[in-house]
Amino acid sequence: MSSGAVEVFDAATLAAPDRFDAWREAVNTAFVPLRATLHGGDLATPALPARSGDDGSSAFRGVVRSQDLGAAAATEVAGGPVTVWRDRATIADADPGGYKLGVQLHGYSVLTQDGREAALTPGDLAIYDTTRPYSLDFADEFSMFVLLIPRDRLGLTPRQVAGLTAQRISGRHGLGALASSLLTGLGRQLRTGGVDPDPRAVHAVLELVDATLMRRLEPVEAVPTADVVFAGATAYIDAHLGLPGLSVESVAAAQHVSVRYLQQLFAERGSTPSSWIRRRRMDEVSAALADPAQAVRPVAAIGAQWGFSDASGFARAFKAATGTSPGEYRARHLGPAAG
């Protein structure tokens, strides 16, 4: 994503019969494809309500303000009594993958997902997953601030998030109050010129969201410490160095954490998962090349043993890391004959 200006849709600028349809399209553009009906409509019917004066759609009022912040997207959506939902058909139409963290600003709503319901009052928060069906029912006029977060930007695993969807997080105490206050403030900024998209500020917002959600997991789920996760990740890397497909994603999945969180752990220790993997492979290759017992093994075979399936790519990577070719390195340690 790249940050941008605030985009505003106001149904009041349109002819009355067109307002509801246009509002629904604006919501789809800001988020992901959704279905919508006036409150009390039939959710089993995919079509929107007919545009006529007696179904209430001509009197509909709605506003959508959205801004791309780079690592996330901020949107304030407001309207009259309405129900929106995402079903398997709309998911099949477009599924970019992401989470929505909603903060009720005005009015009331009921969020339903994964067999749970969260009744939200002003200030309350809840998270839901756009990759699975959900619905939001607003019985009266409402406004809600929504942070759309790509899956790899949230420091929780999909399994952890699945246990948190459609659960009310009170905005009146603890971390929930801090998160609610911050996100409500972002909503005000959308209405008064836009949010400062400084990556550091956006990162801080996501960190607070992570902390708020993590707190909901305790003590239901034991959350491992950073040192435990890091130790598990490095042990997993050592055990799988010989696999060409070893990747940051596979290491994160094995530790049940997100790629973003894993990268953060390594960054705090002055490294990255990818550079750690490369260094450990070079350590093992260097040791093998300097081992007299392996002097007759082809250099390419040693490289393949430690995850370098392409011989020329291995030679380039080794020289970039050590300043010398694998053959020269071997000769330096075992003598010219071995080289």
Side-chain angles (χ1 to χ4, degrees):
M1 294 183 181
S2 58
S3 58
V6 178
E7 297 183 3
V8 181
F9 166 85
D10 187 347
T13 63
L14 302 176
D18 299 324
R19 292 175 182 173
F20 182 80
D21 287 353
W23 177 86
R24 199 267 303 181
E25 290 300 327
V27 171
N28 283 2
T29 299
F31 298 122
V32 289
L34 298 166
R35 301 196 191 281
T37 185
L38 297 177
H39 180 69
D42 184 5
L43 271 64
T45 303
L48 294 174
R51 295 186 297 177
S52 63
D54 60 0
D55 67 359
S57 59
S58 61
F60 184 81
R61 293 182 295 177
V63 176
V64 180
R65 298 181 183 88
S66 60
Q67 182 182 1
D68 189 345
L69 303 179
T75 300
E76 182 184 6
V77 58
V82 67
T83 299
V84 299
W85 72 101
R86 187 157 159 80
D87 55 19
R88 299 193 184 281
T90 49
I91 293 171
D93 287 343
D95 183 14
Y99 302 118
K100 290 183 181 180
L101 183 72
V103 182
Q104 193 77 33
L105 301 178
H106 172 74
Y108 305 89
S109 66
V110 176
L111 166 65
T112 303
Q113 188 172 50
D114 297 328
R116 294 183 290 266
E117 288 188 351
L120 305 180
T121 61
D124 291 339
L125 308 89
I127 192 168
Y128 44 114
D129 189 338
T130 66
T131 68
R132 297 196 302 282
Y134 66 84
S135 67
L136 270 162
D137 185 62
F138 303 94
D140 299 297
E141 291 192 356
F142 74 95
S143 63
M144 176 176 273
F145 177 84
V146 180
L147 199 64
L148 181 60
I149 309 170
R151 293 170 76 89
D152 62 354
R153 295 284 185 170
L154 195 63
L156 287 81
T157 67
R159 180 175 62 86
Q160 289 173 321
V161 176
L164 295 173
T165 53
Q167 291 194 30
R168 172 182 169 271
I169 300 174
S170 173
R172 293 163 182 77
H173 54 79
L175 286 176
L178 290 176
S180 177
S181 176
L182 177 59
L183 297 176
T184 299
L186 295 182
R188 286 194 296 269
Q189 291 180 33
L190 281 179
R191 296 191 295 273
T192 58
V195 178
D196 184 349
D198 187 317
R200 295 167 298 182
V202 178
H203 176 74
V205 171
L206 295 179
E207 287 292 303
L208 179 57
V209 170
D210 281 349
T212 303
L213 295 173
M214 277 290 189
R215 181 56 58 89
R216 295 285 296 183
L217 293 173
E218 303 169 348
V220 175
E221 178 178 329
V223 181
T225 66
D227 288 339
V228 170
V229 175
F230 181 78
T234 55
Y236 181 88
I237 289 171
D238 281 349
H240 297 82
L241 278 178
L243 298 179
L246 179 64
S247 65
V248 179
E249 291 76 14
S250 64
V251 176
Q255 304 308 307
H256 306 291
V257 299
S258 69
V259 169
R260 175 172 168 266
Y261 182 64
L262 186 70
Q263 291 171 331
Q264 178 182 325
L265 291 183
F266 276 79
E268 290 171 352
R269 293 158 177 81
S271 184
T272 68
S274 297
S275 62
W276 189 281
I277 292 171
R278 286 194 301 271
R279 182 179 63 79
R280 286 294 298 116
R281 281 176 166 163
M282 289 302 167
D283 289 345
E284 295 295 342
V285 166
S286 298
L289 291 173
D291 182 3
Q294 301 188 55
V296 298
R297 288 190 67 198
V299 167
I302 291 176
Q305 178 185 355
W306 296 107
F308 296 98
S309 55
D310 176 67
S312 59
F314 163 58
R316 289 193 299 270
F318 189 88
K319 188 166 187 178
T322 66
T324 185
S325 71
E328 292 168 342
Y329 185 90
R330 171 181 270 177
R332 180 187 306 166
H333 289 78
L334 297 181

